[in-house]
Amino acid sequence: MRRLDNQVALVTGGARGIGKEIALALAGLGAKLAVNYNRSAEAADALAEQIKQLGSECLAVQADVSRSDQARGLVGTVIEHYGRLDVLVNNAGITRDKSLKSLTDEDWEAVIHTNLNSVFYTTSAVCPKMMEQGHGRIINISSFVGQSGNFGQSNYAASKGGMIAFTKSAALELAKYNITVNAVAPGFTSTEMLAMVPEAIQEKLLAKIPLRRFGEPKEIAQAVVFLASEGGYITGQQININGGIYM
Ligand code: NDP
């Protein structure tokens, strides 16, 4: 894959799980990294150290991306530090799984603010710089449930479906500036998010996956790196990496 030397990449929620593997894979191609975290300060510091040992630069930045001021401040901090921003990966996400009869306004809002509103905040904040550069790659980590829906995940599925619609609309608006906007939609992937699902339910999920295993964070990261590196003519698309659970 084409190297990303001299390019700067920001991964939201990048200290652990899928985001961590994305950050490592981008650094492996030579990109300078900014890793955002909200609560995982120690993990973010450890990752920054690991990336520096790989020979790349890394800045760890605390911000709660569900808040407009903090998400926009995050983008500003990265641009101020590196002078540019080429790759934005909107990865931060949460679940609050409940069936509709017990889902509260707070459950709904927390998921929509974190998973969807954050994508608008960071994307709109990064646009002026990417337009000025005449180059940008925005990659949104969605989910297959944004297309299929899922029992007990009306808030999460709505946030991920919203991300897909946002991705296509932003791709249309930003194409003339050579900014591509795409989504990567994982299926069930082995991280702490999946570990929160009770084991009995995990067994049932496995049985529904044609490839009969959960995805690995590295498999998601490879698609992100492909879009960042070789995806110059791909925009407004969604890459599904889900073991065949949704086709
Ligand atoms: P994890 O629960 O393992 O990690 C979630 C990440 O999001 C953490 O780094 C966390 O940061 C960050 N985050 C959460 N809230 C905020 C916030 N307000 N501000 C900044 N960062 C925040 O999840 P995964 O790695 O599994 O998920 C990554 C993405 O992939 C998510 O968008 C998720 O929806 C999506 N996805 C995951 C699937 C799976 O099966 N694992 C399936 C489909 C999609 P911190 O720890 O610092 O708070």
Side-chain angles (χ1 to χ4, degrees):
M1 272 193 262
R2 209 148 34 95
R3 289 190 55 82
L4 299 173
D5 296 316
N6 302 318
Q7 292 196 26
V8 175
L10 165 61
V11 183
T12 68
R16 60 190 177 87
I18 292 171
K20 177 181 175 181
E21 291 304 328
I22 294 170
L24 283 168
L26 289 167
L29 280 188
K32 295 174 187 165
L33 257 295
V35 171
N36 155 250
Y37 65 95
N38 186 24
R39 298 195 172 132
S40 300
E42 263 182 45
D45 286 344
L47 178 61
E49 201 46 50
Q50 190 178 348
I51 287 174
K52 283 176 196 160
Q53 280 171 12
L54 289 173
S56 196
E57 291 177 47
C58 186
L59 179 72
V61 189
Q62 197 281 331
D64 174 352
V65 295
S66 71
R67 307 231 343 229
S68 173
D69 54 343
Q70 295 191 30
R72 292 173 191 282
L74 163 68
V75 171
T77 300
V78 176
I79 292 173
E80 198 179 307
H81 182 82
Y82 285 118
R84 60 184 299 122
L85 184 41
D86 300 277
V87 181
L88 167 65
V89 184
N90 286 307
N91 166 78
I94 58 167
T95 50
R96 290 275 184 92
D97 296 353
K98 281 177 196 168
S99 60
L100 266 177
K101 63 180 186 324
S102 37
L103 193 73
T104 64
D105 288 358
E106 206 275 326
D107 296 324
W108 176 267
E109 283 160 12
V111 169
I112 298 293
H113 284 313
T114 305
N115 299 4
L116 181 58
N117 293 0
S118 64
V119 177
F120 164 64
Y121 303 146
T122 54
T123 302
S124 58
V126 83
C127 275
K129 193 66 187 175
M130 286 187 173
M131 287 173 179
E132 181 194 312
Q133 292 168 178
H135 175 259
R137 301 276 178 267
I138 298 170
I139 301 155
N140 299 322
I141 310 302
S142 170
S143 166
F144 80 97
V145 306
Q147 302 160 84
S148 65
N150 199 21
F151 190 98
Q153 286 199 311
S154 56
N155 51 354
Y156 183 78
S159 74
K160 296 299 184 178
M163 276 175 99
I164 297 166
F166 178 83
T167 296
K168 293 179 185 177
S169 307
L172 280 172
E173 290 189 25
L174 299 174
K176 64 177 175 229
Y177 303 101
N178 190 30
I179 301 169
T180 64
V181 191
N182 291 289
V184 169
F188 296 109
T189 308
S190 300
T191 66
E192 287 172 43
M193 185 177 276
L194 182 61
M196 290 192 303
V197 176
E199 255 178 49
I201 296 181
Q202 286 194 33
E203 292 291 314
K204 285 188 184 158
L205 296 177
L206 258 185
K208 288 187 190 165
I209 302 171
L211 284 174
R212 290 289 184 271
R213 66 174 178 87
F214 296 128
E216 291 301 324
K218 277 191 180 146
E219 293 174 304
I220 312 304
Q222 284 309 313
V224 173
V225 164
F226 172 74
L227 288 169
S229 160
E230 298 288 354
Y233 199 55
I234 304 174
T235 198
Q237 304 302 313
Q238 169 158 294
I239 301 183
N240 292 309
I241 308 172
N242 62 27
I245 195 169
Y246 181 80
M247 297 184 184

